[in-house]
Amino acid sequence: MAGSGDNEADESVRKEFAVFREDVVRCPGREGGTTLLGVVESVGGHSDSEEEELGTEPLEKGKARVSWYKKLLNPQVEDVRELEVVDRAMLHHDIVAKSSDPLGQSGFVTSVDVLCDLRFCASGREVKGVNSRNLVPLQPLKPGGFAVYGGWLGKVEEAL
């Protein structure tokens, strides 16, 4: 029979693998009760060659560097335990494991379905759980064109 030390070790492993680079996370109850949304740039204890290339300081275990949406001072170092994963990108052939047993059996992604929550601009009405395969862009992306995402404006350099 496993002792309580085994449960503590399992919980430690789960916390270590709770957040990954490029996860979309939220931190509820910040700054007057508002919920912040952000993207994880790096996680302490995870190897990241991009972090080394950029010359940023390595983070200690249990910390994550997060860029918050519509915040001026980015990125910010946050405690992983305060973050909740809202979205995680999965690509074909990514190696995965159950979050409840990250060191257990693993597999790879064979199919990805994306469900979207939509808000209509004119009425504000929301529709949840729409398969992205049922959506089409209003205008195709083309080189030289501009794209808006929230408060960001970008110029399209290449479109596939």
Side-chain angles (χ1 to χ4, degrees):
M1 184 164 161
S4 65
D6 291 341
N7 290 339
E8 289 173 14
D10 290 347
E11 186 62 28
S12 173
V13 169
R14 272 194 285 281
K15 285 181 183 174
E16 181 180 343
F17 293 103
V19 176
F20 292 93
R21 187 172 173 270
E22 297 183 1
D23 280 352
V24 177
V25 294
R26 71 178 179 172
C27 192
R30 280 279 193 80
E31 299 179 19
T34 60
T35 298
L36 295 176
L37 284 175
V39 176
V40 175
E41 291 186 8
S42 60
V43 180
H46 296 198
S47 63
D48 192 349
S49 60
E50 188 172 299
E51 192 172 74
E52 293 168 7
E53 288 173 18
L54 295 174
T56 56
E57 288 287 321
L59 294 169
E60 63 183 81
K61 246 183 183 176
K63 300 290 183 185
R65 189 172 284 115
V66 181
S67 284
W68 296 108
Y69 179 63
K70 291 190 176 181
K71 298 298 277 181
L72 296 176
L73 300 173
N74 275 318
Q76 295 177 353
V77 176
E78 304 288 348
D79 190 326
V80 170
R81 291 173 296 186
E82 294 180 16
L83 302 175
E84 179 184 342
V85 176
V86 177
D87 190 23
R88 177 172 290 153
M90 295 284 175
L91 302 175
H92 288 136
H93 304 292
D94 277 354
I95 298 172
V96 294
K98 286 184 172 183
S99 60
S100 62
D101 188 14
L103 297 179
Q105 185 174 356
S106 62
F108 64 94
V109 176
T110 60
S111 178
V112 178
D113 287 321
V114 177
L115 299 178
C116 303
D117 294 343
L118 307 175
R119 181 180 301 139
F120 293 96
C121 297
S123 66
R125 190 183 83 153
E126 292 186 7
V127 178
K128 296 187 179 283
V130 177
N131 192 312
S132 64
R133 293 177 185 166
N134 297 329
L135 302 174
V136 294
L138 294 176
Q139 295 182 353
L141 293 175
K142 55 187 173 201
F146 292 95
V148 176
Y149 181 74
W152 296 44
L153 174 66
K155 188 171 185 179
V156 177
E157 292 182 0
E158 183 179 350
L160 304 175

